[in-house]
Amino acid sequence: MTSPDKLIIFDTTLRDGEQSPGASMTKDEKVRIAKALERLRVDVIEAGFPIASLGDFEAVQAVARVIKDSTVCGLARALEADIDRAGEALRDANSGRIHTFIATSPIHMQQKLQMTPDQVVEQAVWAVKRARNLSDNVEFSAEDAGRSEIDFLCRIFERVIAAGATTINVPDTVGYNLPDQFGATIRTLIERIPNADRAIFSVHCHNDLGLASANSLAAVRNGARQIECTINGLGERAGNASLEEVVMAVRTRRDLFTCDTTLDTTQIVHCSRLVSNITGFPVQPNKAIVGANAFAHEAGIHQDGVLKSRETYEIMRAEDVGWTQNRMVLGKHSGRNAFRTRLEALGVVFESEEELNVAFRRFKELADKKHEIFDDDLQALVSDAGFSAENEWVKLISLRVCSETGEIPKATVVVSVDGQEVAGEATGGGPVDATFRAIESLVKTGSQLELYSVNAITSGTDAQGEVTVRVRKDARIVNGQGADTDIVIASAKAYVNAFNKLLQDRQRSHPQQGDV
Ligand code: KIV
Ligand code: ZN
């Protein structure tokens, strides 16, 4: 049992976060995010749902093998095959946790599971015992607890704690609760369950009413000691509680909490960027803590106040969450050491010399095109989803675009598909349209483009453009990202990046659509 003043942070970016349409991640990307989460010192990393697909299994296994300081967790329905698969994926973990769940609300039990409450209790107890044979760290979740009857929750939780569950998770699966009410639920559970002191109470809040962070914090003020959350609030539908929000709320309002996390909060901005770049989900500028404007003061009266005394309008220090001054840090003549040192200050650690070399080569290429390289440019450079070649089945070799007043834009593209170079050309409504048509004519994915957006990473006309695309093929949706000083090239990179994700055979079932 951990001390009562410790608040456990359970990050589920790689599992619930990945359930956002289009946010699927490769094994390699999950490992990169997991390493960043370990540096952030999150206590538990939920790495995936091993039974969902071979890709999920391998990703959880890969994360379990490399992460040493955080507990690695795998999700399993209350089913034998799920639990055994999760146990197998976690076998090499330094510290592993099996997280098993079953729905407990009347609507879920009747409509989805078609099981009686008694059957649900017995299934949950059986599942926890089975998981305990494989791991001494077992979490049980009552899916849709937010709409479950309190008496039933007390009954099922008492039984699963007796069966060996060490963490009891209370999910507000559909984001239906309000803070006072949710806090009271947690208090009642802890007070009424006779063996409540033998488990940590945890919460997992969804953001359908924009209350996920508020509900999580209310729960902590009423005795919960684990929050399940995601970087940037990524997650199913409107997402989960944002890690950065709950962690900084508890830290900033220490006066109101009797517990705190042990996170290194200076890693927050780096994690946010990394997740945004890998998933292709941009962070809105006014997002708390990690949005570009989170520490920017526009009104003259505010600027004046902050200049006189920062505390007049700032409740946190930007540097405590990892914001650095976006100054010109490096240029064409900077060497490898300066490059490595600057990135380390931004929270980026290279795992191998090869990784450093690839990034440094990109930096030199960028420095040839762009005079001043800012911190944001460096972040984009190393967060570029194409950083690892492991999953690059399609590669952009060259692109030529003709765009002229009064003429139809035309793109000539060379790509390598599975090691084979092919060339093609197409016309389109604009240079990006022509480029995408040319690439699709070569790769032939049969996909539809659902979203295209471009953002300047820094200011000035020589800024890098960061392009996000979302493509759909049947039921599969993926996002791709690319950055370049030339936005047509950035667009081509993003499209190719999305194709690489799409073409990976990662058919998966949804963890909350199963029979049990
Ligand atoms: O939202 C939810 O109920 C979940 C559970 C699997 C914990 O994600
Ligand atoms: Zn969830």
Side-chain angles (χ1 to χ4, degrees):
M1 182 73 65
T2 50
S3 97
D5 53 12
K6 156 101 176 165
L7 176 60
I8 296 168
I9 294 298
F10 175 115
D11 180 279
T12 182
T13 307
L14 302 180
R15 199 279 296 170
D16 214 320
E18 205 200 18
Q19 286 176 216
S20 306
S24 66
M25 301 165 220
T26 65
K27 177 177 83 180
D28 208 41
E29 290 166 342
K30 282 194 169 192
V31 168
R32 282 174 58 205
I33 293 177
K35 286 179 179 168
L37 293 171
E38 187 181 38
R39 284 196 293 276
L40 177 62
R41 301 208 202 116
V42 307
D43 302 283
V44 187
I45 299 172
E46 187 166 52
F49 177 54
I51 195 83
S53 68
L54 182 62
D56 262 62
F57 174 84
E58 287 174 350
V60 176
Q61 188 176 55
V63 171
R65 286 181 175 158
V66 298
I67 296 301
K68 298 290 168 241
D69 298 335
S70 309
T71 294
V72 179
C73 177
L75 184 68
R77 288 167 300 186
L79 290 175
E80 183 172 340
D82 285 40
I83 294 167
D84 292 357
R85 195 74 171 140
E88 203 184 329
L90 296 167
R91 193 177 294 143
D92 298 332
N94 203 20
S95 162
R97 173 183 293 185
I98 298 178
H99 176 190
T100 186
F101 74 96
I102 192 164
T104 53
S105 62
I107 183 169
H108 275 238
M109 290 192 290
Q110 282 157 23
Q111 309 292 327
K112 185 180 84 169
L113 301 178
Q114 297 178 339
M115 287 169 81
T116 64
D118 287 350
Q119 286 172 325
V120 168
V121 173
E122 292 319 314
Q123 183 83 26
V125 169
W126 176 88
V128 167
K129 286 187 179 157
R130 177 129 199 136
R132 274 304 299 250
N133 286 335
L134 303 171
S135 170
D136 56 11
N137 190 341
V138 172
E139 171 168 332
F140 172 76
S141 282
E143 190 190 10
D144 204 17
R147 292 188 299 169
S148 300
E149 286 162 8
I150 194 86
D151 290 346
F152 185 60
L153 287 178
C154 289
R155 182 174 150 214
I156 195 166
F157 286 154
E158 182 181 347
R159 291 284 310 279
V160 293
I161 295 171
T166 44
T167 300
I168 293 297
N169 186 36
V170 187
D172 183 15
T173 304
V174 291
Y176 180 66
N177 281 243
L178 302 184
D180 289 354
Q181 174 204 0
F182 196 59
T185 300
I186 299 301
R187 181 173 292 272
T188 306
L189 289 172
I190 295 174
E191 280 171 2
R192 277 185 43 190
I193 296 172
N195 53 2
D197 59 331
R198 285 169 46 196
I200 301 275
F201 277 73
S202 163
V203 288
H204 174 111
C205 298
H206 279 272
N207 206 29
D208 300 68
L209 293 173
L211 293 170
S213 295
N215 286 342
S216 306
L217 296 168
V220 173
R221 280 169 55 76
N222 284 282
R225 284 296 174 268
Q226 174 176 286
I227 295 183
E228 301 198 354
C229 47
T230 56
I231 300 286
N232 299 337
L234 201 67
E236 185 80 42
R237 305 182 310 280
N240 289 66
S242 287
L243 179 144
E244 57 278 8
E245 292 174 10
V246 295
V247 167
M248 289 317 290
V250 172
R251 185 71 49 98
T252 306
R253 296 308 309 269
R254 281 193 189 97
D255 54 327
L256 294 180
F257 289 91
T258 54
C259 57
D260 198 359
T261 73
T262 46
L263 263 62
D264 175 1
T265 59
T266 63
Q267 296 292 318
I268 286 179
V269 168
H270 171 62
C271 286
S272 165
R273 296 266 173 96
L274 185 65
V275 169
S276 167
N277 278 286
I278 284 178
T279 58
F281 277 58
V283 176
Q284 75 198 56
N286 58 331
K287 169 80 180 64
I289 323 288
V290 292
N293 293 348
F295 291 88
H297 300 278
E298 177 68 17
I301 193 164
H302 288 206
Q303 289 172 351
D304 180 54
V306 170
L307 287 174
K308 287 179 176 140
S309 165
R310 192 183 54 78
E311 285 81 14
T312 50
Y313 287 99
E314 282 186 7
I315 56 165
M316 293 166 274
R317 294 183 334 152
E319 54 273 34
D320 289 347
V321 295
W323 284 104
T324 54
Q325 277 185 350
N326 196 20
R327 56 204 155 91
M328 200 273 278
V329 284
L330 298 173
K332 194 174 164 134
H333 302 293
S334 307
R336 266 164 61 96
N337 245 348
F339 177 71
R340 188 209 295 256
T341 310
R342 188 66 212 144
L343 279 162
E344 277 173 5
L346 295 174
V348 179
V349 175
F350 293 103
E351 300 298 332
S352 63
E353 279 303 296
E354 171 56 15
E355 229 180 61
L356 170 63
N357 291 343
V358 173
F360 188 61
R361 223 177 13 252
R362 287 180 175 210
F363 161 70
K364 284 288 177 184
E365 280 163 20
L366 180 63
D368 271 342
K369 293 188 264 179
K370 192 170 187 288
H371 195 51
E372 300 171 311
I373 309 278
F374 295 89
D375 284 342
D376 284 350
D377 290 313
L378 292 178
Q379 292 269 17
L381 194 93
V382 292
S383 297
D384 192 329
F387 188 55
S388 156
E390 193 190 308
N391 297 304
E392 281 192 320
W393 193 64
V394 185
K395 284 194 184 103
L396 178 69
I397 306 293
S398 68
L399 169 64
R400 185 164 173 267
V401 183
C402 299
S403 181
E404 202 180 327
T405 325
E407 295 295 325
I408 296 174
K410 182 171 150 193
T412 309
V413 178
V414 179
V415 290
S416 136
V417 182
D418 204 11
Q420 197 100 45
E421 280 195 17
V422 278
E425 56 180 42
T427 54
V432 173
D433 187 37
T435 302
F436 284 12
R437 284 172 191 272
I439 295 174
E440 172 59 19
S441 76
L442 298 171
V443 189
K444 298 186 176 53
T445 63
S447 61
Q448 278 90 46
L449 180 70
E450 298 222 317
L451 176 140
Y452 171 85
S453 86
V454 57
N455 275 309
I457 292 179
T458 55
S459 55
T461 48
D462 70 342
Q464 289 196 87
E466 191 169 46
V467 174
T468 300
V469 297
R470 180 173 302 158
V471 299
R472 174 195 283 271
K473 171 85 196 288
D474 306 323
R476 188 143 164 70
I477 303 170
V478 295
N479 287 337
Q481 274 206 329
D484 201 280
T485 47
D486 180 324
I487 58 162
V488 184
I489 295 176
S491 306
K493 284 182 180 173
Y495 204 43
V496 164
N497 177 236
F499 279 9
N500 279 314
K501 291 185 180 175
L502 195 65
L503 294 168
Q504 283 174 41
D505 186 22
R506 299 182 77 226
Q507 290 306 328
R508 52 195 1 166
S509 58
H510 187 297
Q512 281 150 278
Q513 275 168 357
D515 293 326
V516 170

